[in-house]
Amino acid sequence: MLIPHPLLGPRDAQEFTYLGDASLLNRPDGLAEGALDAFNRHVYLRDNPAGVHRELWFHEQGDRSWLVVTRNTLTHEILGAELARDVALAQKGGAK
């Protein structure tokens, strides 16, 4: 399986470590009311979807970047990849 790294081009998936659902980028505010319950849900309650899904992958054997990879979990087809930094900034409204 090849992952289209946004900076380095196509890379073999064996260079990467899979972390999980890309929604992990949306970490709850630890100081907000109900933070303990929010963190419990964030860490332990995750979906296991079939079909198109966004995942976090770490380029361990390369430039050590984090990617958000869009992949079909039924066919393993990679539909795209973005730097996790860019995705997190866009979610916070900081992308220019």
Side-chain angles (χ1 to χ4, degrees):
M1 184 166 65
L2 293 177
I3 295 177
H5 194 294
L7 301 176
L8 304 175
R11 309 301 300 177
D12 192 294
Q14 292 181 349
E15 296 180 10
F16 294 82
T17 300
Y18 170 80
L19 177 67
D21 189 341
S23 69
L24 291 173
L25 292 173
N26 302 325
R27 182 172 42 185
D29 180 356
L31 300 176
E33 188 173 328
L36 186 59
D37 289 335
F39 266 100
N40 185 56
R41 287 189 307 274
H42 178 72
V43 172
Y44 296 109
L45 301 178
R46 299 187 188 165
D47 293 332
N48 188 16
V52 177
H53 184 60
R54 294 181 64 171
E55 307 167 329
L56 281 173
W57 289 72
F58 178 59
H59 197 193
E60 186 173 12
Q61 303 299 321
D63 69 348
R64 306 190 66 76
S65 60
W66 284 96
L67 301 182
V68 173
V69 175
T70 303
R71 181 174 72 94
N72 186 324
T73 60
L74 295 173
T75 64
H76 298 294
E77 177 186 10
I78 302 282
L79 304 171
E82 308 166 78
L83 292 173
R85 172 193 67 216
D86 296 344
V87 172
L89 286 173
Q91 288 175 352
K92 292 181 182 182
K96 306 264 188 237

